[in-house]
């Protein structure tokens, strides 16, 4: 596996929200979904980015390990990290050999129970301490409208992680008029309650900070008339989802 290289779009040396503690975050290049509110459309392309071997990536991150203390570590995000599953697995193997906490931030789009993916995923699970799973929409048709893809395999992934006793945080981006209707939020809440290993359930407020990127790419932004949610709308969603009943992780 020494010839594997990952396409790294960018990094964040001192991340504080994508996993417990202080994180070194790799944002990988490439994503199949086209979420209407995506704030990183420049990561969609399967080409570009800095090519690094798993060892090179780990060495780059490990320079900051003194800042991680007991809770921090390495997070791999995207784009969609599972598109580069071989690279992530080898990076996390190196991390675990060095006692580093590993977190995978994914929307689950590439997940399938078919081979060869599922065997590769099982190997990745062994060296992943925490999964951050974005559920864009619980309703399959609305998920297709929002992202261009079904959510059936994403729901399957959440169940698979639970069945295999893998810790996860569930995340849901709250977009007014798109992902905030009461029926869908209640349905999402009931689904998450069926999962055994959810340590945190987060509402991520929709924002428009990445709209200029669409203009730079010459791509029309589909939600240009949608405003970020108010504090009241965020609280309403948290109440419906009962997010306060999830006690957090390593706190």
């Amino acid at each position: 596996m020494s010839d594997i290289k990952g396409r790294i779009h960018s990094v964040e040396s001192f991340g504080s929200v994508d996993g417990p503690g202080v994180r070194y975050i790799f944002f990988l290049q490439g994503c199949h979904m086209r979420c209407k509110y995506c704030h990183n459309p420049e990561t969609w392309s399967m080409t570009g980015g800095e090519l690094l071997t798993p060892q090179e990536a780990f060495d780059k991150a490990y320079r900051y390990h003194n800042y991680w203390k007991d809770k921090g570590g390495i997070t791999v995000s995207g784009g969609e990290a599972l598109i580069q599953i071989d690279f992530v697995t080898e990076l996390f193997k190196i991390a675990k050999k060095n006692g580093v906490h590993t977190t995978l931030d994914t929307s689950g789009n590439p997940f399938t129970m078919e081979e060869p993916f599922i065997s590769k995923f099982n190997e990745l699970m062994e060296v992943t301490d925490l999964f951050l799973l974005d559920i864009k929409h619980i309703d399959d048709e609305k998920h297709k409208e929002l992202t261009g893809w079904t959510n059936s395999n994403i729901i399957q992934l959440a169940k698979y992680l639970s069945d295999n006793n893998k810790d996860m945080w569930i995340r849901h981006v709250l977009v007014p008029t798109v992902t905030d209707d009461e029926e869908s939020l209640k349905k999402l809440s009931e689904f998450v309650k069926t999962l055994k290993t959810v340590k945190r359930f987060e509402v991520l407020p929709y924002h428009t900070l990445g709209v200029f990127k669409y203009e730079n790419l010459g791509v029309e932004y589909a939600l240009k008339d949608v405003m970020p949610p108010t504090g009241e709308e965020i609280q309403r969603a948290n109440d419906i989802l009962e997010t306060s009943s999830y006690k957090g992780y390593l706190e």
Side-chain angles (χ1 to χ4, degrees), residues 12 34 46 70 72 78 88 105 110 122 126-127 140 144 156 158 166 205 211 223 228 233-234 236 247:
E12 184 176 347
R34 294 294 181 265
M46 299 296 173
D70 295 333
V88 178
D105 184 6
N122 288 337
E126 291 297 315
V127 289
D140 190 44
K144 290 175 184 175
Q156 187 178 40
K166 298 303 296 186
V211 173
L223 302 180
E233 289 170 328
I234 296 168
R236 168 183 168 274
K247 302 303 182 183

Side-chain angles (χ1 to χ4, degrees), residues 108-119 121 153 156-157:
N109 173 257
F111 183 80
T112 175
M113 295 294 292
E114 297 180 1
E115 295 290 359
F117 182 89
I118 192 60
S119 290
F121 187 79
N153 61 323
Q156 187 178 40
L157 169 57

Side-chain angles (χ1 to χ4, degrees), residues 45-188:
S45 173
M46 299 296 173
T47 62
E50 180 184 9
L51 288 172
L52 294 177
T53 67
Q55 188 65 57
E56 288 170 339
F58 178 78
D59 291 345
K60 189 172 184 176
Y62 199 64
R63 294 199 299 265
Y64 295 85
H65 74 277
N66 287 335
Y67 297 99
W68 300 343
K69 309 300 181 184
D70 295 333
K71 296 181 181 180
I74 292 174
T75 296
V76 177
S77 185
E80 171 50 62
L82 287 178
I83 290 176
Q84 301 190 51
I85 190 170
D86 294 333
F87 169 78
V88 178
T89 300
E90 292 307 307
L91 171 60
F92 280 6
K93 283 180 179 179
I94 297 170
K96 296 316 299 175
K97 286 179 181 178
N98 287 273
V100 174
H101 184 279
T102 55
T103 295
L104 181 71
D105 184 6
T106 179
S107 294
N109 173 257
F111 183 80
T112 175
M113 295 294 292
E114 297 180 1
E115 295 290 359
F117 182 89
I118 192 60
S119 290
K120 291 184 176 184
F121 187 79
N122 288 337
E123 189 176 0
L124 174 61
M125 274 202 309
E126 291 297 315
V127 289
T128 304
D129 294 309
L130 175 66
F131 288 82
L132 309 187
L133 180 60
D134 286 326
I135 298 181
K136 309 294 186 180
H137 210 300
I138 193 64
D139 181 273
D140 190 44
E141 289 304 314
K142 292 179 179 179
H143 191 277
K144 290 175 184 175
E145 183 180 349
L146 177 62
T147 72
W149 292 77
T150 182
N151 72 357
S152 59
N153 61 323
I154 297 168
I155 299 303
Q156 187 178 40
L157 169 57
K159 294 176 180 178
Y160 193 73
L161 292 174
S162 175
D163 291 343
N164 283 277
N165 297 310
K166 298 303 296 186
D167 286 348
M168 62 181 131
W169 293 2
I170 299 295
R171 292 169 147 185
H172 179 66
V173 179
L174 188 70
V175 187
T177 73
V178 180
T179 68
D180 67 339
D181 65 280
E182 184 172 353
E183 180 182 358
S184 295
L185 291 175
K186 286 182 176 178
K187 186 177 178 183
L188 176 58

Side-chain angles (χ1 to χ4, degrees), residues 208-228:
T208 58
L209 299 178
V211 173
F212 74 95
K213 298 178 181 179
Y214 287 79
E215 298 171 356
N216 293 340
L217 292 170
V219 177
E220 183 178 0
Y221 185 66
L223 302 180
K224 56 181 177 292
D225 296 325
V226 177
M227 299 298 294

